């Protein structure tokens, strides 16, 4: 039998709700810890950014170093604990990466190489010094709107956190494509990723064990060691979390929801959902929206709209138009325009321009590139159009923005 590296065992049963509560969605949380945190298994994704100190984070039985400038994207299939180094305070920021944003993964086809890169890349990234200023600025933008309850405030926070995650995704894709030598991971780590990637398939402990060359008994023992769940409990949890996130979208049918989350029939879905959350699906959805209503201003419930926003985020530097986006998404321009007006009170063209302006800001602050070069890099066809769009967002020109932050006046 193949020998696997040893996993670091949990010290206690994981807790839920340590970082994730209804009043914490789209809120910046700040922590300074001098003692180890308990093992944690949240039902949402978390973005964690270390601001000072040092320590370690153990994720699914694998230990990673934490230092100032480390960015972590923790998924709902990660069980983790954070331990500061002895005699030091580890300070970090936490944002719950809630359902409208995690839709980036939900709406992607399972074979999408971007999704695979995110899953296989290291979940702890050391941000290069030249990029750290940009990440810190995005968290400051987020914090500036931390107490706001308006649609506009939430949209700004979604945009700032979205850019942080977009940076992380690009780093994952780059890491995945470069294919550096990977350290061999323990069985528990590999098995959890496999389950999280193949949850829609008819998996069993025996079939997954056979894939990794181990018995079902050994697989279950390893899973209990690193996440305190056996195979079936973990698979149900992964599927329920996928369903819980997707059910907030207004245009997702029950049949699609069941198929996408890996359930074969309604009765098993309802039974397992109620066992996990304590309430039926519709009651869960209603309670969640009601308890977090102040935090859901600006949240996106349309799969078409989410797809359009992701398309803009990925292609902002190209000459994209509303017609092109509608064509790519197999929908009508009229419906797309209506969705943007209804949700953001903005046109598609305005959102594209806003995205380009936001992507230009790090270039203004961290490079000496001329204004025209920056305009062209982010998708504007002239410095004049770029300046007008930038002024509409910031009430100043790009040059004034750069100078006000201590940058070059080129």
């Amino acid at each position: 039998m193949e020998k696997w590296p040893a996993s670091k065992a949990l010290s206690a049963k994981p807790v839920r709700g340590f970082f994730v509560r209804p009043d914490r969605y789209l809120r910046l949380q700040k922590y300074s810890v001098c003692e180890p945190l308990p093992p944690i298994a949240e039902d949402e994704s978390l973005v964690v950014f270390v601001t000072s100190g040092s320590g370690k984070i153990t994720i699914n039985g694998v230990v990673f170093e934490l230092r100032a400038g480390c960015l972590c994207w923790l998924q709902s299939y990660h069980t983790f604990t954070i331990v500061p180094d002895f005699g030091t305070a580890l300070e970090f920021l936490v944002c719950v990466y809630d359902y409208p944003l995690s839709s980036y993964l939900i709406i992607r086809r399972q074979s999408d190489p971007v999704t695979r890169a995110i899953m296989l890349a290291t979940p702890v990234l050391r941000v290069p010094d030249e990029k750290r200023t940009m990440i810190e600025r995005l968290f400051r933008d987020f914090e500036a709107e931390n107490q706001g309850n308006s649609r506009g405030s939430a949209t700004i926070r979604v945009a700032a956190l979205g850019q942080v995650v977009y940076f992380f995704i690009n780093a994952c894709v780059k890491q995945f494509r470069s294919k550096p030598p990977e350290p061999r991971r323990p069985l528990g780590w590999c098995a959890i990723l496999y389950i999280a990637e193949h949850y829609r398939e008819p998996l069993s402990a025996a079939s997954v064990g056979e894939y990794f060359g181990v018995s079902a008994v050994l697989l279950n023992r390893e899973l209990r060691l690193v996440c305190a769940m056996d195979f079936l409990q973990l698979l149900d949890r992964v599927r329920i979390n996928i369903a819980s996130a997707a059910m907030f979208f207004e245009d997702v049918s029950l049949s699609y929801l069941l198929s996408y989350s890996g359930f074969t029939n309604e009765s098993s879905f309802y039974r397992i959902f109620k066992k996990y959350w304590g309430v039926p699906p519709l009651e869960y959805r209603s309670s969640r929206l009601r308890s977090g209503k102040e935090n859901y201003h600006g949240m996106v419930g349309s799969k078409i709209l989410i797809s359009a926003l992701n398309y803009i985020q990925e292609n902002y530097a190209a000459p994209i138009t509303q017609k092109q986006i509608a064509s790519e998404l197999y929908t009508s321009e009229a419906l797309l325009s209506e969705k943007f007006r209804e949700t953001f009170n903005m046109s598609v063209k305005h959102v594209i321009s806003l995205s380009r302006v936001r992507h230009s800001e790090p270039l203004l602050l961290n490079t000496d590139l001329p204004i025209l070069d920056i305009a062209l890099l982010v998708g504007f066809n002239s410095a004049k159009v770029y300046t007008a769009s930038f002024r509409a967002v910031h009430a100043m020109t790009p040059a004034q923005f750069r100078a006000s932050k201590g940058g070059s006046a080129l």
Side-chain angles (χ1 to χ4, degrees):
M1 182 177 295
E2 191 174 4
K3 184 173 177 61
W4 291 84
S7 298
K8 184 175 176 58
L10 293 175
S11 58
K13 186 176 180 179
V15 298
R16 292 162 58 190
F18 191 94
F19 297 111
V20 180
R21 297 174 195 169
D23 61 343
R24 292 184 179 181
Y25 295 120
L26 278 183
R27 303 296 188 200
L28 186 69
Q29 304 175 48
K30 293 185 176 182
Y31 293 87
S32 178
V33 298
C34 300
E35 301 290 336
L37 297 185
I40 298 166
E42 298 288 20
D43 295 303
E44 308 277 3
S45 294
L46 302 174
V47 176
V48 178
F49 183 66
V50 180
T51 55
S52 68
S54 61
K56 295 176 176 61
I57 181 169
T58 301
I59 305 172
N60 292 349
V62 177
V63 181
F64 299 91
E65 295 289 332
L66 289 180
R67 296 287 185 272
C70 280
L71 181 65
C72 312
W73 192 13
L74 302 171
Q75 310 298 338
S76 60
Y77 50 81
H78 287 145
T79 299
F80 65 94
T81 189
I82 296 174
V83 179
D85 285 342
F86 181 76
T88 66
L90 183 65
E91 299 184 351
F92 54 92
L93 310 175
V94 176
C95 295
V96 179
Y97 192 66
D98 200 22
Y99 74 88
L101 296 172
S102 59
S103 63
Y104 187 98
L105 296 179
I106 292 169
I107 65 172
R108 292 263 176 188
R109 295 187 304 276
Q110 201 170 19
S111 60
D112 192 326
V114 174
T115 301
R116 185 161 178 77
I118 294 169
M119 296 189 72
L120 296 182
T122 301
V124 180
L125 174 69
R126 183 69 182 270
V127 179
D129 290 342
E130 65 271 17
K131 298 291 186 181
R132 186 171 168 181
T133 301
M134 177 191 71
I135 299 298
E136 290 172 342
R137 179 186 61 79
L138 288 169
F139 277 110
R140 284 197 301 271
D141 289 349
F142 191 103
E143 185 176 19
E145 302 292 335
N146 211 32
Q147 301 306 316
N149 290 322
S150 69
R151 179 186 296 271
S153 174
T155 302
I156 290 172
R157 279 176 278 158
V158 167
L161 189 53
Q163 286 189 60
V164 172
V165 171
Y166 188 65
F167 167 82
F168 194 99
I169 289 171
N170 282 338
C172 289
V173 172
K174 184 177 180 181
Q175 177 184 336
F176 183 70
R177 287 175 177 168
S178 64
K179 298 188 186 316
E182 288 276 345
R184 183 165 168 76
R185 301 295 192 195
L187 173 61
W189 173 278
C190 297
I192 290 171
L193 284 184
Y194 184 88
I195 293 166
E197 185 177 6
H198 297 272
Y199 64 89
R200 294 178 66 186
E201 301 171 15
L203 301 178
S204 68
S207 67
V208 174
E210 182 180 2
Y211 179 85
F212 289 106
V214 300
S215 68
V217 172
L218 180 57
L219 175 68
N220 277 314
R221 184 187 307 156
E222 178 73 9
L223 291 176
R224 285 191 290 266
L225 185 73
V226 300
C227 66
M229 288 176 276
D230 62 23
F231 167 81
L232 190 56
Q233 291 170 326
L234 177 63
L235 180 61
D236 284 347
R237 182 174 187 270
V238 169
R239 287 173 171 172
I240 287 297
N241 279 327
I242 291 292
S244 300
M247 70 186 299
F248 286 93
F249 293 97
E250 62 195 29
D251 45 6
V252 173
S253 66
L254 178 60
S255 60
Y256 177 85
L257 180 65
L258 293 177
S259 171
Y260 200 87
S261 55
F263 290 98
T264 55
N265 57 70
E266 290 185 32
S267 61
S268 63
F269 168 63
Y270 279 94
R271 175 177 53 80
I272 295 171
F273 193 100
K274 187 173 181 180
K275 179 181 178 182
Y276 191 78
W277 287 114
V279 293
L282 291 182
E283 186 177 337
Y284 167 82
R285 183 181 190 276
S286 175
S287 173
R288 172 77 174 273
L289 289 174
R290 185 171 59 250
S291 64
K293 62 183 178 180
E294 290 188 350
N295 300 292
Y296 286 115
H297 286 290
M299 294 299 192
V300 179
S302 166
K303 193 152 64 77
I304 291 175
L305 190 52
I306 281 288
S307 300
L309 291 173
N310 284 332
Y311 186 87
I312 292 169
Q313 184 77 347
E314 293 174 354
N315 298 281
Y316 67 90
I320 53 176
T321 63
Q322 176 176 303
K323 181 178 181 179
Q324 181 181 350
I325 296 171
S327 176
E328 288 286 339
L329 302 180
Y330 301 100
T331 189
S332 69
E333 288 189 67
L335 177 60
L336 196 63
S337 178
E338 178 186 344
K339 290 288 186 183
F340 271 78
R341 288 288 183 188
E342 183 182 277
T343 305
F344 302 116
N345 196 28
M346 296 180 188
S347 67
V348 178
K349 183 178 180 180
H350 190 168
V351 173
I352 293 171
S353 178
L354 178 60
S355 178
R356 288 168 172 165
V357 166
R358 296 307 304 236
H359 279 89
S360 75
E361 292 165 13
L363 296 175
L364 287 169
L365 298 178
N366 300 316
T367 76
D368 290 327
L369 288 171
I371 299 300
L372 176 59
D373 288 0
I374 292 176
L376 298 176
L377 282 172
V378 297
F380 291 102
N381 57 16
S382 72
K384 182 178 179 180
V385 173
Y386 169 48
T387 298
S389 299
F390 196 95
R391 190 193 294 274
V393 175
H394 289 288
M396 64 177 73
T397 68
Q400 290 169 336
F401 178 85
R402 173 181 264 172
S404 71
K405 305 294 184 180
S408 168
L410 288 176

